[in-house]
Amino acid sequence: MIVVLAAGYGVIGLPTSWNALKQNMRERISLGLDLRGGTHLVLQVNVQDAVNAEADQAIERLRQTLNQRQITFAAMTRIDATGIADDGGIRIEGVPPEQNSALREAVEQTEPNWLLTPEGNAYRLTLRQPVLAAIRQQTLAQSVETIRNRIDRLGVAEPTIQERGQGDYEILVQLPGVDDPQRVKELIQTTALLEIKKVEDGPFPSREAAMASRSGVLPPGTELLESVEVPDGGTAPVREWYLVSRVPAVTGRELRNAQPGRDENNRPEVDFTLTADGARRFGEFTERNIGQRLAVVLDGRIQTVATIQSRITDSGRITGRFTQQRASDIALVLRAGALPASMRYLEERTVGPSLGADSIRAGLVASVAGLSAAIAFLVIYYKGAGINAVIALALNLLLLLAGMAYISATLTLPGIAGIALTIGMAVDANVLVFERIREELRAGKTAVSAVQTGFSKAIVTIVDSNATTIIAAFFLFLFGTGPVKGFAVTLTIGLLANLFTAVFVSRWMFDFILSGKRGQAALSI
């Protein structure tokens, strides 16, 4: 009785009306993407971006190291990793032959993750394979966690965000019941990497003009970035280019918080504060460059350029012609963390709520049809014992739904298939018991003795068949994705409930019917 009450509470709670009962069931039984509707995305992480970023950082460290050790070189450039299987690297040119051993020693001592190999008259550094694999896997894991943080902050119920495939660096994102899938897609894809960089020169009216001012060669450690700042009173950004330092003073990784706000003209902006370490480094940077300009860069585009008037430590702001929604979205992705690499869509599919409703209706029709056929068979063939089995079967379904509600499992279309299969397994367990009891009755035993012997002989077979199926479901859950896992969860809970109802509930009902009867009491079976 306690189990039944607990199961009933898990499914419907304590409703005060019919509408409250339906509302409780909707809240406690979560529906998956294929039943509720929503967005299905498969994204591939461009892990080569993280490899290139690691190369950039290594170049800056090596420049300082070689300068300190007075090792001369003509050029140090990055070899871009252009694909998943491309290792990329760093090329060092113009090292005098007499300093080759000093270069090798410097690399081995300060950059142990990089392997130095001769390449003609130059040297090439490549990341060691274990380090390269670790960077790629860490980039994938960080991307999954960052996307999960962003989706969680949006309040999407029961999202699925997980790695997909083996070695392809893909992420599966399923968002059931989203109201604005386009906005969610933009938030997922947006890198939202905040960087504050020193302005070395500019503005220039075009990239070509900027390159011409430097005779077509940029100074080491610099890059050209486009400004999208909208001037006061304007309606569109003035496309200008600035020469900025490649290495930022601080990045979004040093952010402690970011919130949408309003500037002195009541226009939307994004206010941010830095961590203690970021504030210290930003303070040193601004104090050293008073009178110089800095650029606030978001996703590789300059949002605003300002002159440093005094030392700035732990707070700042991003201004521009933002809508309030855009300011809120930027603050959200900044708080959730920057994606370590860019992404591209491999697959996009939208399931409408009407299609999900059709799936629910078809699944329910199939389940009810199967259940009705099973009930008819049990009652007609096993008479009174069949009613016993029907009650146990109903309790089995109640326990299954309660189990899913208590562990917050999501019901998918394959999950409904798991429920239908559970019905069949439950009927099979009752058939095994009833046939054993019939055999004992034909052997001349009393009803009480036949029930005891029938259950004791059938229990081993029931446990064995259910246990082996649960093991198979475990491996489906372990190695499957999305709907396959939903099927495995539903099937496992249903089989555990089946063991309970077949062994305890059905036996208890037989004992209750036969209690007080003696000798040759008849048993309807």
Side-chain angles (χ1 to χ4, degrees), residues 3-4 87 98 104-105 190 198 225 235 279 355 391 440 457 481 519:
V3 173
V4 175
D87 295 350
E98 62 273 12
R104 188 174 298 277
E105 181 181 355
T190 300
K198 181 182 177 183
L225 293 180
T235 58
L355 182 59
I391 296 173
E440 299 302 323
K457 288 184 177 181
T481 58

Side-chain angles (χ1 to χ4, degrees), residues 182-398:
Q182 186 59 37
R183 179 191 171 203
V184 175
K185 283 168 52 183
E186 291 174 356
L187 288 177
I188 289 175
Q189 196 175 31
T190 300
T191 303
L193 176 59
L194 173 67
E195 299 173 300
I196 299 179
K197 299 185 174 185
K198 181 182 177 183
V199 175
E200 303 290 348
D201 199 2
F204 300 98
S206 65
R207 184 182 183 88
E208 291 73 19
M211 293 296 294
S213 71
R214 297 285 172 169
S215 301
V217 180
L218 297 180
T222 63
E223 62 181 346
L224 283 172
L225 293 180
E226 185 182 17
S227 171
V228 293
E229 185 175 11
V230 179
D232 290 339
T235 58
V238 176
R239 301 292 178 177
E240 296 177 323
W241 292 81
Y242 287 86
L243 183 68
V244 300
S245 60
R246 182 182 292 274
V247 179
V250 292
T251 70
R253 295 179 179 87
E254 282 80 46
L255 275 181
R256 186 172 68 235
N257 194 16
Q259 297 290 341
R262 294 277 178 173
D263 64 10
E264 58 274 8
N265 296 316
N266 201 36
R267 293 177 299 194
E269 66 177 14
V270 179
D271 301 319
F272 64 89
T273 55
L274 300 172
T275 62
D277 181 63
R280 176 186 60 77
R281 290 193 289 109
F282 195 42
E284 293 174 355
F285 168 79
T286 52
E287 185 176 27
R288 192 168 57 246
N289 292 282
I290 290 177
Q292 301 294 319
R293 292 174 298 168
L294 60 79
V296 178
V297 182
L298 189 66
D299 294 336
R301 295 174 131 191
I302 297 175
Q303 301 293 321
T304 184
V305 175
T307 301
I308 303 172
Q309 303 290 348
S310 61
R311 175 185 171 93
I312 307 172
T313 54
D314 63 346
S315 62
R317 65 179 182 173
I318 306 172
T319 60
R321 292 190 64 85
F322 301 139
T323 63
Q324 190 62 45
Q325 183 66 67
R326 177 61 177 157
S328 298
D329 288 348
I330 291 175
L332 186 152
V333 293
L334 287 175
R335 290 197 307 272
L339 286 168
S342 59
M343 299 190 182
R344 65 189 184 97
Y345 287 111
L346 298 181
E347 182 182 343
E348 176 184 341
R349 188 166 69 246
T350 301
V351 180
S354 59
L355 182 59
D358 291 341
S359 298
I360 294 175
R361 191 177 303 109
L364 288 178
V365 168
S367 298
V368 170
L371 181 61
S372 300
I375 290 174
F377 167 77
L378 290 170
V379 173
I380 294 172
Y381 192 71
Y382 291 108
K383 304 179 178 65
I387 298 175
N388 179 326
V390 170
I391 296 173
L393 187 59
L395 181 59
N396 190 1
L397 294 176
L398 178 63

Side-chain angles (χ1 to χ4, degrees), residues 33-51:
L33 180 71
D34 50 0
L35 298 181
R36 188 179 176 186
T39 301
H40 168 100
L41 302 171
V42 177
L43 305 94
Q44 186 173 55
V45 182
N46 295 322
V47 292
Q48 61 269 24
D49 290 352
V51 176

